[in-house]
Amino acid sequence: DTAVSQTPKYLVTQMGNDKSIKCEQNLGHDTMYWYKQDSKKFLKIMFSYNNKELIINETVPNRFSPKSPDKAHLNLHINSLELGDSAVYFCASSHLPTNTEAFFGQGTRLTVV
Amino acid sequence: GENVEQHPSTLSVQEGDSAVIKCTYSDSASNYFPWYKQELGKRPQLIIDIRSNVGEKKDQRIAVTLNKTAKHFSLHITETQPEDSAVYFCAACFSGGYNKLIFGAGTRLAVHP
């Protein structure tokens, strides 16, 4: 019944490693997002896809690469992890790409050591 | 630039009191303003939203007001309860065609019994 689900929930890894976070939504939404929430709880959009097409790409290091195999899935791959990448990453989806509610996943707490 | 300012950063009230959180935004073309509640360790969840064609919206103990001229919107919670304790985020959907939600920095609300 989970609307937006992400895996894993927790991820602890060493600097320099490459890791992926997966996200799936069963709401039939066309638009999906990745948000980063830092230690001060600030929520910042990273990427958005609409029907598998990248529509928002904020100023994010190119070590971060999203991939949407279909409109129900949006994965995030991170290369060469750095300490500053430690944060909670939230996937979200919305019915339309504009002016509609975003439904968030439960978050992935990434800790880089 | 795209900016949403939110005040206060922390708010402590007694059970039964009212709480008010205020936000201002920079893009005069913004027309969608959601409020999200994030409980500790949980995902952000929409509690109320308002569009630019209305000045006020109410849902039980929660209300939101919008002043488009001043680029200002506020969340009002009446008869606060301990379960209202959480971090509240305002957001504005910035123009440009896509749902680029820019979030405020959050308000940590503590309701004391």
Side-chain angles (χ1 to χ4, degrees):
Chain A
D1 285 317
T2 304
V4 182
S5 59
Q6 349 176 176
T7 54
K9 191 172 181 182
Y10 300 98
L11 186 53
V12 181
T13 188
Q14 291 189 324
M15 277 196 310
N17 283 352
D18 303 339
K19 290 293 178 184
S20 292
I21 307 171
K22 295 187 176 182
C23 180
E24 176 182 5
Q25 54 94 4
N26 62 6
L27 296 167
H29 288 167
D30 288 341
T31 310
M32 296 186 72
Y33 314 83
W34 279 110
Y35 281 86
K36 179 181 180 180
Q37 187 170 46
D38 62 23
S39 58
K40 294 184 178 178
K41 299 295 185 185
F42 191 64
L43 264 170
K44 185 170 170 55
I45 190 166
M46 300 172 69
F47 303 102
S48 177
Y49 273 74
N50 185 54
N51 272 323
K52 303 192 297 175
E53 180 187 348
L54 180 67
I55 57 172
I56 294 174
N57 184 354
E58 289 296 278
T59 307
V60 176
N62 57 16
R63 298 182 294 104
F64 290 78
S65 52
K67 186 168 278 189
S68 181
D70 55 63
K71 72 174 192 178
H73 295 84
L74 180 61
N75 304 322
L76 183 66
H77 188 76
I78 315 170
N79 289 326
S80 304
L81 278 155
E82 300 178 357
L83 293 175
D85 297 332
S86 296
V88 179
Y89 292 85
F90 284 100
C91 175
S93 73
S94 63
H95 176 54
L96 297 170
T98 187
N99 296 338
T100 55
E101 177 182 359
F103 291 80
F104 284 81
Q106 80 275 26
T108 296
R109 182 174 293 277
L110 171 65
T111 303
V112 183
V113 296
Chain B
E2 301 161 345
N3 190 40
V4 177
E5 291 193 3
Q6 182 172 347
H7 300 281
S9 56
T10 59
L11 182 56
S12 183
V13 300
Q14 290 296 124
E15 183 177 1
D17 287 350
S18 295
V20 180
I21 303 170
K22 299 182 179 183
C23 290
T24 57
Y25 58 97
S26 58
D27 183 4
S28 57
S30 294
N31 53 15
Y32 177 63
F33 307 91
W35 285 87
Y36 284 81
K37 176 183 180 182
Q38 186 178 27
E39 296 176 357
L40 188 62
K42 301 273 182 77
R43 72 192 76 196
Q45 290 191 291
L46 183 79
I47 54 171
I48 195 167
D49 55 14
I50 191 167
R51 297 177 192 279
S52 58
N53 56 344
V54 298
E56 184 174 359
K57 185 176 177 180
K58 194 171 182 181
D59 183 3
Q60 299 182 350
R61 296 186 297 108
I62 294 172
V64 58
T65 58
L66 172 65
N67 182 331
K68 281 222 77 179
T69 303
K71 293 187 286 185
H72 172 274
F73 58 115
S74 300
L75 178 72
H76 304 252
I77 307 174
T78 58
E79 300 170 31
T80 53
Q81 301 165 4
E83 50 265 39
D84 293 331
S85 298
V87 178
Y88 291 81
F89 293 95
C90 64
C93 189
F94 278 70
S95 59
Y98 297 116
N99 201 13
K100 190 174 182 179
L101 278 180
I102 303 297
F103 284 84
T107 296
R108 187 175 299 277
L109 173 65
V111 181
H112 301 284

